[in-house]
Amino acid sequence: MRFQVLGPVRMAPRTPTAAKPRVVLATLLAQSNTAVSTHSLIDELWGTKPPRTAGTTLQVYVSQLRKALLDGAGGDRAQPLVTQPPGYLIRVGPDELDLTLFESLRMSGRAALEERDYATASRLLGRSLALWTGPALSGVPHGPALQSTAIRLDELRSEVLEQRIDADLRLGRHHELIGELMALAHEFPMRETLHGLLMVALYRSGRQSEAVRAYHRVRRTLVDELGVEPDTSLKRILDRVLASDPSLAWHHGRAAAARPAPERERPTGRVGAAGSRSSGSSGGTGRPPVPVGSGPVPDSPADAFTGRADAPAGPLLWLPPALSDFAGRETELTHYTQVLTEPGGPRVVSVSGRPGVGKTALAVELAHRVKGFPGGRVLLSMRDPAGRALTQQAAAAALLRRLLPPGAGGPDTPPKDAGELADLLHHATRGREVLLVLDDAVSEAQVRPLLAAAADAAVVLTGRRPLAALEHARHLVLDVLGQQEAEALLLATGGPRMAQDPAAVAEIARLCGRLPLALRVAAGSFAVRPHWTAAGLARRLRDERTRLAALSLGDLDVRGGLLAAYHEVSEAERHAFRTLGLAPLPDFPLWAAQSLLGMSAEATEERLEALVRAHLLQAGPAAQESGPVRYGYHTLLRALARDMLDEVDGAEAAVEATARLGRACLVRARAADARLTPGRDRLAGVLETGGWDLAADDPAVVAPLRWFQAEAAGLLEVLRRLHACQLWESACALASALGGYFEVCALWDDWQAGHELAVDAARRSGNALAEAALLRSLGDLAWQRRDNARAMDCHRHAARLFALADDGIGAARCLTGEADVLLGQGEPVRAGALYGRALERARAEGDARGCAEAQRGLALVALVQGRLADSRVALADCARAARAVGDLRLQDYAQRSAARLGEPASAVAGLEMRPGVWLLHDMPVTASAAPD
């Protein structure tokens, strides 16, 4: 044997010592004589994060393997490892690979078993097992392909072992099998077939009580571990043991003697490691010959089916009843009803979506509504009661039991062989108009064999993840209900009392995120509590922290359903799901997620897309068509993320992530503000942001106003969270950076809410400079809201704090703010004096923006007093200073105001005191009809 994969991966004359070349060797041998693509090999070696030099490195590994393959060989030996598009292929002869020999022996042994040539079956199956030297493909790291292959081969080994024991029991070797079966039952405590064989062997050896104890042992294991009872076949064996059924006992020579087995042509090759078990009447095992022939072994693997089953007559219905209160989805039902009844077209519909979105309900409703299918309509859950995915064989066997139940042409126990199962399933569905609903499918690999075997059937698949790789399937990604549909479901489930408060019904639908499961639970809770009102239910659901706990009714638990999807993803993805719950609402960009996770942009995007595929996050386009993708949570999933963050990671991790997010927001907000209102923010240098420089093409740099419009709501939420986490300095700095945008767009409520929180943060941290800057901004806000008294108080208090902080620029700007208030009150003389003092101080401090603002005020005073020439000069000075600081908006204002100086007084509807800020009440403006 030159190559071995049924155990540690080995190669003669020598096996490479490095792990990576052995991975390449194992992957090629697992698909021997078949080309394996370069892409598949790279995936197996490095997973989803290959190095940039992956292709070159793979070539190095292949070169090393080629050299090892020719070591010790003559010069005329051909290289077995060849390049063949799209990758590489290793040529292996029939006797060179243990896997090839195992498959050949296994198939020959299976054929002998079916022909009741038990001695030959035992010998061939024993030889196939002797090839194994350990777990399949061991000794090398497993990627996705090797992992699935190893699982398949180990399962195949177990099936062959059961078949060999079955043959030995039929040959009367029950005494010597007991020890082996006990060890196997201990190793595989939930493999019911092995326990059944052990019970038969014990019973035939006169150990009836031990056979009964063996049954109760496996039953206790199944009930404790899985919450399920043993299979009916195991129960039937117990009944026969308890009844001392003589047909179950071994009777020497009872059955007609089995015909002598002709010597079969079988593969040759070296048998594996010593100690492997081989059986047969000959072959050097050391066993004494035994009489051939025995009674049948009921319920054993070989007794599964003895012939073709015929389809039962009459229509078959194995569906849950249709929901009487099903609401919505009419468009989807109409379209996919047509798909399932299209003649000649592919009739596979794959429905996916987040937990609780109503995938199964839609599939069942569709199965009830669609016309035709006289052969039957059958639903099969693709998970066991514990929530684990069914294997391909288990799913096929379960489906076969429903299509061909015992007594209607179906056998008692399905076969273990996947090929036999597929043949029987094909026979059961061939030519029949059958509709299959395969509910909660896990992967394409799980359902693809069923679809191939039942090619004539129409199929509806449901699953949390889209089964995108399925051929010829129509895909429906199910979203939450529309608002009207959600309200209709609440009314249908909640009863007449629910309809008495339409406003509360609309709010409940919104708080449930229009998720059908949540809506049903909420309405059901309301229906069974006559003392509740719809408004009271809405009030219970408003608090995000307790909303999931309120959405539980009997065995319907919204949180549990969402947790099932959460636990299905990797720990890295679960961590990302929890941490991203801190992201701002309603959605967030890639950079915000990157800051929360502390990862590169590429790694963050990969993690986000994985969560989107698992329906734990949702993705959508930006408001601008050319903008980047934005991500967000369903409202209930966000509540789950916050719950799990508190439970798993704790408050400290949340604070650290919030600090990273706050700094990322601050860097971008400052960059955008520096271009929107340059020189305005007096806290721009307070919090160090070195190492966070933005790229020149960052949206905050390129289009600051548009960036603020997209992010403002989220930035304000981040500000609130910074305050809640007591990150005082970050809260102050972010609020100050937002002030310019709030003023430009007159977002007075957001301006006040954010700045008042930040003032509180400044006071708690004792930061006089931050308090001064924020109070000055609040003074401007109060002035714009015509709260002159508060405006004057804020400016004067801010001026005192600026003086304490030794910030002459800030103090001078407070004088400009006071002067604006006085001018608006009709006191141009006092205002002009303050503007003059502000200009003098700004020049002394070298504050170009302060000069521009003071010149703006002096121009307004001159205009009000009718000194148009002075006003024009001041506006020109204002424009020059604005240009120097880079404030194009203020410069345009100065030039626009200068151009209006020549307008008649009657045309002046108000006084534009700042860019976009107008004073509209009567003001004594003595503008002349013509310019000076």
Side-chain angles (χ1 to χ4, degrees), residues 749-771:
D749 292 339
D750 290 347
W751 188 355
Q752 182 157 343
H755 274 55
E756 286 181 348
L757 271 180
V759 167
D760 178 71
R763 288 171 178 167
R764 287 172 182 262
S765 61
N767 190 330
L769 178 60
E771 184 181 356

Side-chain angles (χ1 to χ4, degrees), residues 863 868 899-910 925-931:
L863 175 63
L868 300 187
R900 281 201 299 262
L901 289 178
E903 296 178 4
S906 60
V908 180
V925 180
T926 57
S928 63

